[in-house]
Amino acid sequence: MRYLLGVPGLLAMLALAGCMKVSDMAEGTRYHLRDAGILDHSETRRSSSWRLQPDSFIYIAQGHFVPPGDVYPRPNVVAEEAFNGFVEYFPMVRRARDPMGLEEAMGQASEAGAHYLLYLRFAAADDRIGSFDELNDQRALDRLGVDSGVVQLMLVETGTRYLVDTARIRSRGGVLGIYDARPEQLLRPPLQDYARRLLGLSR
């Protein structure tokens, strides 16, 4: 009897799977694995739905702000990862070499002829213990876990100094990538996703 009841259910599942694309099934699986904390996860909250033209010239700069706590990321790592994420979608993009204040960044963006300034800062970072070496050094079991970080950004039109968009990106590491990880390693995928959103592209 169980066998007979199981056959219709199996047929229904196969029929449902046949109606879905492989890419949709893969994306659905990734979504659930991220939500369960197995894979890296990020959440982006924007203040507007402004879109840019693909030929927009974007200048990327990072503020001097250093995340509080015992995390010491590379001084310009957010700008570097934003550039790496944006260059695939915006062919006209440049990056400042060093962190700088907002006014200096606006000046350099205008001098370069950029249409927009993307100004970012590493607002928060939590580098948890993720390897045996770190555990031996810190000897704090309560620090075991996945890394996390928060990036804040502003998108400003250089000609008018109009604040086009602001966003807060919160990233959290997954269990599969816990070993010897750093919070800055979580930056590129959500910044790349933000570049896609500016063009109106889906994930």
Side-chain angles (χ1 to χ4, degrees):
M1 187 67 177
R2 289 181 183 177
Y3 175 75
L4 293 176
L5 289 174
V7 170
L10 180 61
L11 291 175
M13 289 179 60
L14 290 174
L16 182 61
C19 296
M20 297 179 66
K21 296 180 181 177
V22 175
S23 59
D24 292 338
M25 294 177 64
E27 183 57 38
T29 302
R30 281 194 294 268
Y31 172 82
H32 290 295
L33 289 175
R34 291 189 192 109
D35 192 52
I38 305 299
L39 298 178
D40 296 348
H41 174 77
S42 66
E43 178 187 19
T44 301
R45 294 192 176 181
R46 298 180 60 189
S47 64
S48 76
S49 56
W50 190 282
R51 293 185 181 180
L52 303 185
Q53 296 294 325
D55 60 349
S56 298
F57 184 4
I58 302 174
Y59 191 85
I60 300 173
Q62 177 180 341
H64 292 289
F65 186 83
V66 177
D70 298 328
V71 181
Y72 302 102
R74 295 195 314 276
N76 211 34
V77 66
V78 183
E80 293 169 8
E81 295 299 336
F83 176 85
N84 292 332
F86 268 67
V87 73
E88 181 179 346
Y89 299 96
F90 293 93
M92 298 177 64
V93 60
R94 285 182 59 185
R95 172 182 64 80
R97 294 188 177 185
D98 302 297
M100 58 184 64
L102 178 58
E103 288 303 318
E104 184 182 1
M106 284 294 299
Q108 289 200 12
S110 298
E111 185 178 336
H115 303 127
Y116 298 95
L117 167 67
L118 180 66
Y119 190 71
L120 315 99
R121 75 169 185 166
F122 214 156
D126 188 3
D127 186 13
R128 294 279 177 158
I129 294 175
S131 70
F132 295 112
D133 292 337
E134 291 176 344
L135 182 60
N136 287 331
D137 291 340
Q138 301 182 33
R139 297 193 178 279
L141 290 176
D142 60 325
R143 293 290 301 155
L144 284 169
V146 296
D147 299 333
S148 61
V150 175
V151 170
Q152 295 171 332
L153 63 86
M154 298 188 302
L155 186 66
V156 185
E157 194 172 31
T158 55
T160 61
R161 300 178 72 92
Y162 177 72
L163 184 60
V164 172
D165 190 19
T166 61
R168 178 181 183 270
I169 301 174
R170 184 180 181 277
S171 301
R172 182 194 70 213
V175 174
L176 291 183
I178 192 174
Y179 185 77
D180 206 20
R182 298 276 300 171
E184 53 264 38
Q185 294 172 330
L186 303 171
L187 296 177
R188 188 180 305 181
L191 288 168
Q192 193 172 42
D193 179 58
Y194 181 71
R196 284 193 291 266
R197 293 188 187 195
L198 287 176
L199 290 173
L201 303 175
S202 62
R203 301 183 76 166

